[in-house]
Short mmCIF file of all heavy atoms in Angstrom, two decimals:
data_model
loop_
_atom_site.label_atom_id
_atom_site.label_comp_id
_atom_site.label_asym_id
_atom_site.label_seq_id
_atom_site.Cartn_x
_atom_site.Cartn_y
_atom_site.Cartn_z
N PRO A 1 0.76 -1.25 0.00
CA PRO A 1 0.00 0.00 0.00
C PRO A 1 0.79 1.30 0.00
O PRO A 1 0.19 2.37 -0.12
CB PRO A 1 -0.78 -0.11 1.31
CG PRO A 1 0.18 -0.83 2.23
CD PRO A 1 0.93 -1.80 1.36
N LEU A 2 2.10 1.26 0.16
CA LEU A 2 2.84 2.49 0.46
C LEU A 2 2.57 3.59 -0.56
O LEU A 2 2.20 4.72 -0.20
CB LEU A 2 4.33 2.19 0.54
CG LEU A 2 5.25 3.40 0.76
CD1 LEU A 2 4.90 4.10 2.07
CD2 LEU A 2 6.72 2.98 0.75
N MET A 3 2.75 3.29 -1.84
CA MET A 3 2.65 4.36 -2.83
C MET A 3 1.21 4.82 -3.04
O MET A 3 0.99 5.96 -3.46
CB MET A 3 3.26 3.91 -4.15
CG MET A 3 4.77 3.80 -4.12
SD MET A 3 5.61 5.23 -3.37
CE MET A 3 5.07 6.57 -4.43
N PHE A 4 0.24 3.99 -2.71
CA PHE A 4 -1.14 4.43 -2.84
C PHE A 4 -1.48 5.44 -1.74
O PHE A 4 -2.28 6.35 -1.95
CB PHE A 4 -2.09 3.23 -2.82
CG PHE A 4 -1.71 2.20 -3.84
CD1 PHE A 4 -1.44 0.89 -3.47
CD2 PHE A 4 -1.55 2.55 -5.17
CE1 PHE A 4 -1.06 -0.05 -4.40
CE2 PHE A 4 -1.16 1.62 -6.11
CZ PHE A 4 -0.91 0.32 -5.73
N TYR A 5 -0.85 5.28 -0.59
CA TYR A 5 -0.99 6.30 0.45
C TYR A 5 -0.27 7.59 0.03
O TYR A 5 -0.75 8.70 0.31
CB TYR A 5 -0.45 5.78 1.78
CG TYR A 5 -1.48 4.99 2.55
CD1 TYR A 5 -1.66 3.64 2.32
CD2 TYR A 5 -2.29 5.61 3.49
CE1 TYR A 5 -2.62 2.91 3.00
CE2 TYR A 5 -3.26 4.91 4.19
CZ TYR A 5 -3.42 3.55 3.94
OH TYR A 5 -4.38 2.85 4.62
N VAL A 6 0.87 7.45 -0.64
CA VAL A 6 1.57 8.63 -1.16
C VAL A 6 0.71 9.33 -2.20
O VAL A 6 0.57 10.57 -2.19
CB VAL A 6 2.94 8.23 -1.74
CG1 VAL A 6 3.58 9.42 -2.46
CG2 VAL A 6 3.86 7.71 -0.65
N ILE A 7 0.11 8.55 -3.10
CA ILE A 7 -0.79 9.12 -4.12
C ILE A 7 -1.95 9.85 -3.44
O ILE A 7 -2.30 10.98 -3.82
CB ILE A 7 -1.31 8.02 -5.05
CG1 ILE A 7 -0.17 7.50 -5.95
CG2 ILE A 7 -2.47 8.53 -5.92
CD1 ILE A 7 -0.53 6.24 -6.72
N ALA A 8 -2.55 9.22 -2.44
CA ALA A 8 -3.67 9.84 -1.73
C ALA A 8 -3.25 11.16 -1.10
O ALA A 8 -3.97 12.17 -1.22
CB ALA A 8 -4.18 8.88 -0.66
N ALA A 9 -2.09 11.18 -0.46
CA ALA A 9 -1.63 12.39 0.22
C ALA A 9 -1.32 13.50 -0.78
O ALA A 9 -1.70 14.66 -0.58
CB ALA A 9 -0.40 12.07 1.07
N ILE A 10 -0.63 13.15 -1.88
CA ILE A 10 -0.28 14.17 -2.88
C ILE A 10 -1.54 14.79 -3.47
O ILE A 10 -1.67 16.01 -3.58
CB ILE A 10 0.60 13.56 -3.98
CG1 ILE A 10 1.99 13.20 -3.44
CG2 ILE A 10 0.74 14.54 -5.15
CD1 ILE A 10 2.87 12.47 -4.44
N ARG A 11 -2.49 13.94 -3.84
CA ARG A 11 -3.70 14.45 -4.47
C ARG A 11 -4.55 15.22 -3.47
O ARG A 11 -5.21 16.20 -3.82
CB ARG A 11 -4.48 13.31 -5.11
CG ARG A 11 -3.73 12.65 -6.27
CD ARG A 11 -4.64 11.79 -7.11
NE ARG A 11 -5.73 12.56 -7.66
CZ ARG A 11 -6.77 12.04 -8.31
NH1 ARG A 11 -6.83 10.74 -8.48
NH2 ARG A 11 -7.72 12.80 -8.78
N ASP A 12 -4.56 14.76 -2.23
CA ASP A 12 -5.31 15.45 -1.18
C ASP A 12 -4.77 16.85 -0.93
O ASP A 12 -5.52 17.82 -0.81
CB ASP A 12 -5.24 14.63 0.11
CG ASP A 12 -6.61 14.38 0.71
OD1 ASP A 12 -7.61 14.78 0.09
OD2 ASP A 12 -6.68 13.80 1.81
N VAL A 13 -3.46 16.95 -0.85
CA VAL A 13 -2.82 18.22 -0.49
C VAL A 13 -2.76 19.18 -1.66
O VAL A 13 -3.01 20.38 -1.52
CB VAL A 13 -1.40 17.95 0.07
CG1 VAL A 13 -0.64 19.25 0.25
CG2 VAL A 13 -1.48 17.18 1.38
N THR A 14 -2.43 18.67 -2.85
CA THR A 14 -2.19 19.55 -4.00
C THR A 14 -3.40 19.71 -4.92
O THR A 14 -3.47 20.68 -5.67
CB THR A 14 -1.02 19.02 -4.84
OG1 THR A 14 -1.40 17.77 -5.45
CG2 THR A 14 0.21 18.80 -3.98
N GLY A 15 -4.32 18.74 -4.89
CA GLY A 15 -5.44 18.78 -5.82
C GLY A 15 -5.07 18.40 -7.24
O GLY A 15 -5.88 18.59 -8.16
N VAL A 16 -3.87 17.87 -7.45
CA VAL A 16 -3.44 17.48 -8.79
C VAL A 16 -4.32 16.35 -9.32
O VAL A 16 -4.77 15.49 -8.56
CB VAL A 16 -1.95 17.08 -8.78
CG1 VAL A 16 -1.74 15.80 -7.97
CG2 VAL A 16 -1.41 16.90 -10.18
N GLY A 17 -4.58 16.35 -10.62
CA GLY A 17 -5.42 15.33 -11.23
C GLY A 17 -4.66 14.05 -11.51
O GLY A 17 -3.43 14.01 -11.46
N PRO A 18 -5.39 12.98 -11.83
CA PRO A 18 -4.74 11.68 -12.03
C PRO A 18 -3.78 11.65 -13.20
O PRO A 18 -2.71 11.02 -13.11
CB PRO A 18 -5.92 10.72 -12.25
CG PRO A 18 -7.07 11.60 -12.67
CD PRO A 18 -6.85 12.89 -11.96
N PHE A 19 -4.12 12.30 -14.30
CA PHE A 19 -3.23 12.27 -15.46
C PHE A 19 -1.95 13.06 -15.21
O PHE A 19 -0.86 12.63 -15.59
CB PHE A 19 -3.95 12.82 -16.71
CG PHE A 19 -5.07 11.95 -17.18
CD1 PHE A 19 -6.38 12.40 -17.17
CD2 PHE A 19 -4.84 10.66 -17.64
CE1 PHE A 19 -7.43 11.60 -17.59
CE2 PHE A 19 -5.87 9.85 -18.07
CZ PHE A 19 -7.18 10.33 -18.04
N ALA A 20 -2.09 14.23 -14.58
CA ALA A 20 -0.90 15.04 -14.31
C ALA A 20 0.04 14.31 -13.34
O ALA A 20 1.26 14.29 -13.54
CB ALA A 20 -1.31 16.40 -13.73
N LEU A 21 -0.52 13.69 -12.32
CA LEU A 21 0.32 12.97 -11.36
C LEU A 21 1.05 11.82 -12.04
O LEU A 21 2.26 11.63 -11.85
CB LEU A 21 -0.54 12.43 -10.21
CG LEU A 21 0.21 11.67 -9.12
CD1 LEU A 21 1.19 12.59 -8.41
CD2 LEU A 21 -0.77 11.06 -8.12
N ALA A 22 0.32 11.06 -12.86
CA ALA A 22 0.93 9.90 -13.53
C ALA A 22 1.92 10.32 -14.61
O ALA A 22 2.82 9.55 -14.96
CB ALA A 22 -0.15 9.03 -14.16
N ARG A 23 1.79 11.54 -15.10
CA ARG A 23 2.71 12.02 -16.15
C ARG A 23 3.99 12.60 -15.56
O ARG A 23 5.08 12.38 -16.09
CB ARG A 23 2.00 13.07 -17.00
CG ARG A 23 2.83 13.63 -18.15
CD ARG A 23 1.97 14.42 -19.11
NE ARG A 23 2.76 15.09 -20.13
CZ ARG A 23 2.90 16.41 -20.23
NH1 ARG A 23 2.29 17.22 -19.37
NH2 ARG A 23 3.64 16.94 -21.19
N PHE A 24 3.89 13.31 -14.44
CA PHE A 24 5.05 14.04 -13.91
C PHE A 24 5.81 13.30 -12.81
O PHE A 24 7.04 13.39 -12.75
CB PHE A 24 4.60 15.41 -13.38
CG PHE A 24 4.26 16.40 -14.46
CD1 PHE A 24 2.94 16.60 -14.84
CD2 PHE A 24 5.25 17.11 -15.13
CE1 PHE A 24 2.62 17.50 -15.85
CE2 PHE A 24 4.94 18.00 -16.14
CZ PHE A 24 3.62 18.19 -16.50
#
């Protein structure tokens, strides 16, 4: 689960969308 918690935290804090996160 580690990176899914990281994904959750990044998206929660920054509001970045799924495509932008997966691209950058």
